[in-house]
Amino acid sequence: MKLLIVGGVAGGASAATRARRLSESSNIILFERGPDISYANCGLPYFLSGTISQREKLLVSSKEAFKARFNIDVRILTRIDKIDRQKRCVVATDLTSGVSYEETFDRLLLSPGAEPFKPNLPGIDGKQIYTLRTLDDIDRIKLAAMSGIKSATIVGGGFIGLELLENLIQLGLNADVVEHKAQLLPPFDPEMTTPIGEALASNGVRLHLNDSVEEFFDAKGRIGLRLKSGNELATELVILGVGVKPESKLAVEAGLEVGLRGGIKVNKQLQTSDSEIYAVGDAIEVEDFVTGSPSHIPLAGPANRQGRIAANNIFGRNETYRGTQGTAILGIFNKTIATTGASEKALKRVNYKYRKVYVHPLDHAGYYPGAEQMTLKILFDEISGKLLGAQAVGGAGVDKRIDILSIAIQGGLSVYDLEQSELCYAPQFGSAKDPINMAGFVAGGLLRGDHPQISVESYLAVTTEDKPMLLDVRTEKEFAQGSIPGATNIPLDDLRSRLGELPRETPITVYCQVGQRGYFATRILLQNGFQVNNISGGYKSYLLWRSHI
């Protein structure tokens, strides 16, 4: 078999090496437009500040290594200009010599990736305005950042933009972030991003949320940004991080089907609309694992797995790709935020009937030094309790819990399974009741009716005349330090002796600091005949939501 692969890095390089392991006799040719066949693009921001000090550490493999170990014909600096499906060939151009030629194939695999989106704005092609995709890009950005400048602006508050931002701050630059949505990190639900915004602000970053750039202009030798709000910024370096789009031009011109967002359409075997042409990675449209909706989710992990699965299918092993969950993580300024599965926003878009709970546990036993608090949000089916999605933000332990919940979602587990999950425990690693168990207890109690709950935003959305009595069961000292407006304070330990102060005809909404004492109060009040529910996650959840309501 003669297999041509267009594009290296994650998907293409994984497909090429898997193909060779499956067939020693096949002729495998990999085309890469750039000079590097396989590099760690997720590590590029950390080369900027010197966290990764050696450029060569970012090179996963080389043309020579691919030839020596895998006997793969790698053609770097070669652009594929056309796919001729009738002749079963591609037209390639050697960018060094300028010579074009045809190369036939039995099977073709497309892994061209995604390119940074560059909006059509006045002045966007000016000097010192960059996008990031390749090693060459980070070389140019690093040269500019270390040229003695003092300021930089990131346009876009997504993963790559914020990773670059932290590394620019480490270089001593002053920084602004412009994000057209009302929150950072749009894949997350808004309240979960509040601690990230607070961490940026505490490190001197100026945030311009719910705003966008309308024009770049010369500002006396600096780069001027005129924003939709009417504000103007002046900076010395701009990095665009407003998202990526599938690089599907080749596929479109070849008549292959693409989705609404431009991603190449593939089936579960990763075949395109032409059964002899496969596609993987950031260029394809994938099925959302939870909702089943067509999506574009550009992540390195799925791209690697897709490359392997496509190669398996090309060589006769029937294997299906089960969809992408969007499991992702960001670490910035000692904060960690991670997600897996469907967000609440995504579930609302498809009208899925779900419930949610928040817990705010410590990452390990509180009596052992160094415990850090996290916020964990899980989303689940309102009838079966099947897990649909999870998000967490905090410090240590966030990655561990989201990875566990990712596997739980893949396995079709429910919140009842979380209650009984057996996880390793020693005081420096976790708690006897792990945050995973705690989330299951709270969600299970909700579904069984033992623990009636309401979310912060649902409570605040109730009109004044219909609002229930709001009861704060924290201590008087906690209450004095801040409370939800309109609350009455009766500490939990005094509640049984003060039941006569509460109305029996009017519903009561209870809250505490993180939800546990509110749950205890709810159980007391329910068994004494009161109408009651508990605010999920308590005052801590209110603080997360306050800036987004």
Side-chain angles (χ1 to χ4, degrees):
M1 180 185 291
K2 186 176 182 180
L3 170 63
L4 303 187
I5 298 173
V6 180
V9 193
S14 294
T17 55
R18 178 61 175 169
R20 175 57 75 217
R21 294 194 296 275
L22 294 174
S23 174
E24 187 63 23
S25 61
S26 292
N27 182 10
I28 303 170
I29 305 173
L30 193 156
F31 300 94
E32 170 56 49
R33 182 174 53 192
D36 304 302
I37 179 63
S38 185
Y39 58 91
N41 50 2
C42 294
L44 297 180
Y46 304 98
F47 176 61
L48 177 60
S49 65
T51 300
I52 296 173
S53 58
Q54 297 175 307
R55 189 182 190 273
E56 55 268 28
K57 293 287 188 182
L58 295 168
L59 295 170
V60 177
S61 191
S62 66
K63 171 182 176 178
E64 293 75 20
F66 261 60
K67 180 63 177 177
R69 179 162 296 182
F70 299 107
N71 191 27
I72 293 171
D73 181 358
V74 175
R75 302 180 189 179
I76 60 172
L77 296 172
T78 301
R79 183 185 66 225
I80 302 302
D81 298 315
K82 181 182 178 181
I83 301 168
D84 190 323
R85 292 168 58 194
Q86 283 67 44
K87 294 173 65 176
R88 284 294 184 250
C89 73
V90 299
V91 177
T93 298
D94 184 319
L95 298 177
T96 302
S97 66
V99 174
S100 295
Y101 59 94
E102 292 184 352
E103 192 71 58
T104 61
F105 63 83
D106 296 314
R107 297 289 187 275
L108 174 66
L109 186 142
L110 302 177
S111 182
E115 58 184 329
F117 180 69
K118 199 171 182 179
N120 185 21
L121 295 174
I124 200 167
D125 294 321
K127 293 181 178 180
Q128 302 293 76
I129 300 178
Y130 300 92
T131 58
L132 177 61
R133 182 181 186 184
T134 67
L135 273 166
D136 287 344
D137 292 335
I138 199 64
D139 287 338
R140 287 188 285 268
I141 292 170
K142 184 166 186 173
L143 186 64
M146 300 187 72
S147 65
I149 64 173
K150 300 297 183 185
S151 61
T153 296
I154 303 292
V155 180
F159 285 88
I160 294 296
L162 295 188
E163 287 170 344
L164 284 166
L165 170 74
E166 181 179 28
N167 285 277
L168 290 168
I169 294 292
Q170 289 178 11
L171 289 174
L173 275 64
N174 298 315
D176 290 81
V177 174
V178 181
E179 166 56 53
H180 80 283
K181 292 187 179 295
Q183 66 168 95
L184 296 167
L185 299 166
F188 287 84
D189 291 324
E191 77 280 13
M192 299 300 290
T193 69
T194 297
I196 303 300
E198 292 170 348
L200 297 187
S202 67
N203 281 273
V205 178
R206 294 172 293 274
L207 295 176
H208 308 270
L209 300 179
N210 205 24
D211 210 347
S212 57
V213 180
E214 293 196 326
E215 179 185 3
F216 297 96
F217 60 93
D218 180 70
K220 297 181 180 179
R222 305 175 84 195
I223 307 164
L225 293 80
R226 186 166 292 114
L227 306 185
K228 184 178 180 180
S229 62
N231 293 331
E232 292 185 359
L233 307 177
T235 189
E236 296 166 281
L237 170 66
V238 172
I239 303 175
L240 302 175
V242 293
V244 296
K245 58 181 180 179
E247 196 164 308
S248 54
K249 183 172 182 285
L250 263 179
V252 171
E253 292 177 349
L256 301 176
E257 293 182 16
V258 298
L260 292 176
R261 296 186 178 183
I264 304 168
K265 283 191 173 184
V266 294
N267 62 17
K268 288 184 179 294
Q269 285 71 40
L270 298 168
Q271 290 171 302
T272 68
S273 51
D274 185 321
S275 62
E276 295 181 2
I277 302 176
Y278 292 72
V280 300
D282 294 355
I284 70 171
E285 180 181 88
V286 296
E287 180 180 292
D288 185 290
F289 181 79
V290 175
T291 67
S293 304
S295 303
H296 181 235
I297 307 175
L299 292 169
N304 274 284
R305 294 193 296 278
Q306 291 158 13
R308 180 185 175 90
I309 292 169
N312 285 346
N313 288 319
I314 288 169
F315 287 94
R317 299 190 176 196
N318 185 22
E319 186 173 351
T320 60
Y321 182 68
R322 58 189 178 190
T324 302
Q325 284 177 229
T327 306
I329 190 166
L330 170 74
I332 184 166
F333 297 127
N334 298 316
K335 289 288 184 183
T336 304
I337 185 168
T339 181
T340 188
S343 66
E344 187 172 1
K345 293 185 293 187
L347 293 174
K348 286 180 176 178
R349 281 196 298 268
V350 297
N351 295 315
Y352 199 110
K353 302 300 182 184
Y354 68 93
R355 296 299 301 266
K356 64 178 178 179
V357 297
Y358 300 86
V359 292
H360 306 283
L362 299 176
D363 73 292
H364 65 248
Y367 64 83
Y368 190 90
E372 297 182 55
Q373 189 177 48
M374 71 178 75
T375 292
L376 177 59
K377 173 183 182 179
I378 63 170
L379 300 138
F380 47 94
D381 185 274
E382 70 173 8
I383 303 299
S384 69
K386 179 181 176 181
L387 285 164
L388 305 173
Q391 298 173 35
V393 61
V398 164
D399 56 338
K400 172 181 176 179
R401 273 68 188 202
I402 290 298
D403 280 342
I404 292 169
L405 291 166
S406 172
I407 295 297
I409 291 170
Q410 288 182 44
L413 302 187
S414 73
V415 297
Y416 305 118
D417 295 306
L418 299 188
E419 291 180 299
Q420 298 201 43
S421 294
E422 184 175 332
L423 305 170
C424 59
Y425 162 59
Q428 65 269 48
F429 298 109
S431 299
K433 294 178 181 177
D434 191 85
I436 297 294
N437 302 129
M438 295 304 300
F441 295 150
V442 175
L446 168 63
L447 293 182
R448 293 186 184 99
D450 295 335
H451 188 184
Q453 293 177 58
I454 187 172
S455 65
V456 170
E457 68 273 27
S458 295
Y459 169 77
L460 294 176
V462 177
T463 59
T464 302
E465 57 270 20
D466 294 327
K467 274 195 187 303
M469 176 187 178
L470 184 60
L471 179 62
D472 185 323
V473 296
R474 297 175 299 161
T475 65
E476 293 178 358
K477 181 179 179 181
E478 289 175 292
F479 183 75
Q481 292 173 344
S483 63
I484 300 176
T488 298
N489 179 223
I490 300 179
L492 175 64
D493 293 344
D494 298 337
L495 185 58
R496 289 184 180 87
S497 63
R498 296 176 62 179
L499 293 177
E501 300 176 30
L502 301 176
R504 292 188 174 274
E505 302 80 17
T506 304
I508 300 171
T509 291
V510 174
Y511 76 92
C512 63
Q513 188 67 19
V514 298
Q516 186 179 55
R517 284 173 289 172
Y519 165 58
F520 296 155
T522 300
R523 295 303 303 157
I524 292 169
L525 293 172
L526 279 174
Q527 294 176 79
N528 279 278
F530 291 91
Q531 306 172 60
V532 61
N533 57 30
N534 183 28
I535 289 181
S536 183
Y539 188 63
K540 177 77 173 177
S541 291
Y542 169 74
L543 294 178
L544 293 176
W545 265 108
R546 185 172 55 182
S547 61
H548 296 283
I549 296 174

